[in-house]
Amino acid sequence: MQFIDSHAHVNFNAYKNDGEEVLKEALNKGVLVVNVGSQYSTSQRAVKYAHKLKGVYAAVGIHPIHLNKKTVHIDSDELDSTIEIEANGEDYDAEKYLELARNEKVVAIGEIGLDYHHFTEGDDVEFLKNKQKEVFIKFIELANSVGKPVMLHCWDAYDDLLEILEKHPVKKKGILHSFIGSYKTANKFIELGYKIGLNGIVTYGEGYDRLIKEIDLKNIVIETDCPYLTPRPLEREKRNEPVFVKIVAEKIAVVKEISVEEVAEITTKNSKDLLGI
């Protein structure tokens, strides 16, 4: 069986001592990996890994929380994890990202999108929302200029994300990564041509079983979002890795009452067709 971890972050500091070994283990076990950037430095690193290892690819972009310089605390029962991220307040540099985006091993632009979940007291919320929207649209324009799909992040902002995608269509569509909405919301994006990215969140209970049942497998891709969102039954504190994408596939197989082999085959084809792998 072959799998594609369509959204990994082995380019993050959590793997600074063993990133190459983690990727090689994944490849040896039949897992292709797309490392996704969240700012310029991690986007660069994703491209470097992609050139170093066959079967590893890259996405480049700015995660919306990195547009505001602050320490972001993610402590959510829904995500079953506690994360602290130092957001660097990066500005969009069109020339630098265009150079990265043109790279042959870059298969998507992302992760990009909207995040309204992590505003805190003292934030100028309207200013930050508008900044996120403006940068998101610039990245859509970049994706269209290089003819590549997008890797979308969205938290507490699905309506605004949908509105922007309708007004500023992405030619090659893309993936709504780490989806945590309802199946009705998912269908709105599917109707626009997007794939729904599912990861370890769906293993944290039965909360997403209806979503899995309702969405046709042809519209699903699987991911880990590692080092975050380690799937159950692994320990919550264990660092997530691309090889664990199989656990996500197993959960989907159980809920849909089909074989893991079928989940692997169809989700891998979905990712390959969309990302041009």
Side-chain angles (χ1 to χ4, degrees):
M1 282 187 294
Q2 185 178 74
F3 297 91
I4 294 183
D5 182 355
S6 64
H7 194 111
H9 297 295
V10 184
N11 47 326
F12 280 14
N13 284 335
Y15 306 95
K16 63 182 178 182
N17 296 322
D18 64 347
E20 191 169 336
E21 288 73 23
V22 168
L23 290 169
K24 285 179 177 177
E25 181 187 5
L27 295 169
N28 287 338
K29 292 186 176 179
V31 180
L32 307 182
V33 181
V34 181
N35 274 323
V36 180
S38 63
Q39 54 190 314
Y40 188 73
S41 61
T42 54
S43 294
Q44 270 190 316
R45 202 173 304 144
V47 173
K48 288 179 180 177
Y49 269 134
H51 278 280
K52 200 166 191 178
L53 296 169
K54 185 178 180 181
V56 175
Y57 304 88
V60 300
I62 304 175
H63 190 296
I65 66 169
H66 278 289
L67 298 172
N68 185 21
K69 188 174 179 61
K70 63 188 294 186
T71 300
V72 178
H73 297 276
I74 302 176
D75 188 2
S76 167
D77 290 337
E78 181 151 10
L79 298 190
D80 196 37
S81 61
T82 302
I83 304 164
E84 184 175 287
I85 296 172
E86 293 295 330
N88 64 355
E90 182 178 337
D91 291 321
Y92 175 70
D93 187 317
E95 290 186 10
K96 287 167 68 174
Y97 276 98
L98 176 59
E99 183 181 6
L100 282 182
R102 284 173 168 163
N103 195 285
E104 61 183 9
K105 292 301 293 284
V106 171
V107 295
I109 305 304
E111 64 189 278
I112 58 174
L114 305 176
D115 191 314
Y116 297 171
H117 186 80
H118 295 107
F119 297 137
T120 54
E121 188 175 350
D123 283 343
D124 185 337
V125 172
E126 286 309 306
F127 171 80
L128 291 172
K129 282 185 177 181
N130 287 331
K131 185 175 183 180
Q132 287 188 18
K133 291 175 183 177
E134 289 168 6
V135 173
F136 179 35
I137 291 167
K138 288 178 181 177
F139 271 115
I140 289 175
E141 292 168 350
L142 173 63
N144 286 339
S145 73
V146 295
K148 294 180 181 180
V150 292
M151 192 76 71
L152 300 172
H153 169 93
C154 189
W155 202 343
D156 289 349
Y158 286 123
D159 288 343
D160 282 1
L161 190 80
L162 193 66
E163 182 179 351
I164 290 173
L165 292 174
E166 288 172 339
K167 290 182 178 178
H168 303 271
V170 181
K171 294 175 185 176
K172 295 284 188 177
K173 306 304 179 182
I175 295 168
L176 188 55
H177 129 82
S178 194
F179 185 75
I180 54 174
S182 68
Y183 74 92
K184 291 181 179 178
T185 299
N187 279 330
K188 292 178 182 178
F189 289 94
I190 290 168
E191 287 171 6
L192 281 185
Y194 288 82
K195 303 297 183 188
I196 303 299
L198 301 181
N199 55 34
I201 294 173
V202 302
T203 70
Y204 297 165
E206 298 177 356
Y208 291 97
D209 286 11
R210 185 172 184 185
L211 173 72
I212 294 169
K213 287 177 182 176
E214 294 285 347
I215 299 176
D216 194 300
L217 197 56
K218 70 182 181 182
N219 296 315
I220 294 173
V221 297
I222 56 176
E223 58 171 76
T224 60
D225 201 21
C226 64
Y228 316 120
L229 308 179
T230 304
R232 301 290 83 83
L234 300 176
E235 292 295 322
R236 171 177 170 170
E237 295 78 16
K238 185 176 180 63
R239 182 185 69 176
N240 202 2
E241 296 182 6
V243 290
F244 301 146
V245 76
K246 184 180 178 181
I247 300 174
V248 179
E250 289 170 345
K251 168 70 176 188
I252 294 170
V254 168
V255 173
K256 283 190 170 294
E257 299 180 343
I258 57 178
S259 68
V260 177
E261 287 79 8
E262 185 176 352
V263 175
E265 180 183 355
I266 295 176
T267 60
T268 297
K269 183 179 187 302
N270 293 343
S271 289
K272 284 185 172 182
D273 289 349
L274 176 66
L275 301 173
I277 292 174

